[in-house]
Amino acid sequence: YNKVGKTGSNSFSDYLSCVLGSRVVHKLPIRYWDGSGEETKRWRQLVEPALRRARGDQVPPLQIYAAHGPFINYSNVGVLPTYVNTARNPLTRLPSHFDQWRGQLLTSDEKARGMTFTDALLGRTSKSGELKRMARNLLHYFLPKEDENRFDLLDDDTERTREAIRNMESEYLLVVPLEDFDVGVQLLACLFPPIQHALQGTKCAIEKHNSKKESRNGSISGEALRALEKLAHDTGEAAMYRASVSKFCAAWRYARANQCPFIANRSIPSTCTA
């Protein structure tokens, strides 16, 4: 689970950890890459041994690895992991991501205190480029190549967007939209039998995220909202979100057609009716 930031990713791994236990869910100390390739090496060093141990098992034991890390193709190991992730509408994810980054910046730059998301969005601050980086970097979670130079950002991300979407569609079992977070964790059980038994009768609470769905849109309107929509479009984040929702809704229809009991009494997810 190579977590995309500000999509409910910690809540998702915390819930799995509650249901399955810390011996099964490993929260790795990996953060965003610095471009040196060190994070990719650490990710491999932690996951590859588990995959190699599983090669001789007819039914490998369930192990979940969760961290902010890159997608890695493990075909050379001989056993492929199941990939999952979470997603969020960029019109709410980007403001949330910016707020987190600005909060971290305050420890070293007092000028950041008066900086607003709208200022950065409309180019009124020297830090405006950071917002563009936040949007573009989302693709790197899904790009199948491990060349760290791909972290250098280009003005036209069209081909990389297509590549990231193709990889998400072919390699990921499920990408759960934050807007339907509670449904998504149950849908995962429909698609991934190893966790079904653990979910039956669990007392672990699913954190409610739906109330946050539009929390930032109310303060962004007019020129700023149009600029935000353009940023999400130009950097590929909007297209990636739409593709993730499409995959999620297809999984929902599949699970309903197969009468999965975990979603039997659930209404159609909000992202599938929008």
Side-chain angles (χ1 to χ4, degrees):
Y1 171 32
N2 60 322
K3 309 186 298 182
V4 173
K6 309 309 295 181
T7 62
S9 58
N10 286 333
S11 297
F12 194 66
S13 56
D14 287 347
Y15 178 75
L16 292 176
S17 183
C18 177
V19 171
L20 300 168
S22 58
R23 292 186 178 181
V24 173
V25 181
H26 307 280
K27 300 177 184 177
L28 308 180
I30 293 177
R31 300 297 178 187
Y32 299 106
W33 328 299
D34 59 7
S36 68
E38 290 304 312
E39 299 294 359
T40 299
K41 292 177 184 176
R42 292 179 63 202
W43 187 248
R44 275 194 175 279
Q45 289 169 355
L46 290 163
V47 176
E48 279 195 3
L51 291 174
R52 294 187 189 281
R53 288 193 298 270
R55 280 191 305 191
D57 297 331
Q58 187 173 3
V59 181
L62 175 63
Q63 297 288 303
I64 297 176
Y65 293 87
H68 294 294
F71 174 87
I72 295 178
N73 188 330
Y74 290 101
S75 57
N76 64 309
V77 180
V79 175
L80 295 178
T82 297
Y83 265 95
V84 296
N85 221 316
T86 42
R88 183 178 182 179
N89 189 325
L91 300 188
T92 60
R93 194 195 78 82
L94 284 169
S96 179
H97 195 165
F98 178 83
D99 283 350
Q100 181 188 49
W101 171 81
R102 188 178 71 92
Q104 295 169 343
L105 187 64
L106 283 173
T107 60
S108 59
D109 187 352
E110 185 64 25
K111 293 181 181 179
R113 188 173 301 279
M115 188 194 324
T116 68
F117 178 73
T118 299
D119 288 338
L121 192 59
L122 298 180
R124 297 171 182 167
T125 169
S126 61
K127 302 293 186 181
S128 294
E130 187 66 21
L131 185 58
K132 200 169 189 179
R133 184 192 69 82
M134 291 175 191
R136 283 179 167 169
N137 285 356
L138 180 135
L139 296 181
H140 288 270
Y141 286 95
F142 299 96
L143 287 170
K145 295 181 180 178
E146 297 169 39
D147 179 4
E148 294 295 331
N149 291 328
R150 293 166 67 88
F151 205 66
D152 296 333
L153 302 174
L154 305 174
D155 288 335
D156 184 2
D157 283 307
T158 302
E159 182 52 41
R160 287 197 296 180
T161 300
R162 292 172 180 165
E163 185 180 6
I165 289 175
R166 285 195 299 267
N167 195 55
M168 181 275 295
E169 291 175 338
S170 63
E171 301 295 339
Y172 281 74
L173 175 68
L174 186 67
V175 178
V176 176
L178 177 67
E179 295 82 358
D180 285 310
F181 179 85
D182 53 338
V183 181
V185 293
Q186 295 173 319
L187 181 57
L188 179 61
C190 297
L191 305 177
F192 195 59
I195 69 171
Q196 289 181 358
H197 178 73
L199 277 182
Q200 292 174 345
T202 181
K203 296 182 179 180
C204 297
I206 299 176
E207 185 173 344
K208 294 291 185 179
H209 278 279
N210 294 22
S211 61
K212 300 180 182 179
K213 183 169 59 171
E214 304 296 341
S215 61
R216 301 293 304 187
N217 277 345
S219 60
I220 303 173
S221 60
E223 180 185 7
L225 179 58
R226 290 191 293 273
L228 177 56
E229 291 172 339
K230 185 177 187 302
L231 175 65
H233 174 271
D234 292 349
T235 57
E237 180 162 349
M240 193 74 210
Y241 176 71
R242 288 194 299 270
S244 299
V245 169
S246 178
K247 185 178 182 70
F248 172 78
C249 296
W252 166 266
R253 291 191 293 270
Y254 171 85
R256 284 298 295 266
N258 285 275
Q259 300 180 332
C260 175
F262 292 98
I263 61 169
N265 298 320
R266 302 303 300 255
S267 57
I268 299 175
S270 62
T271 52
C272 300
T273 59

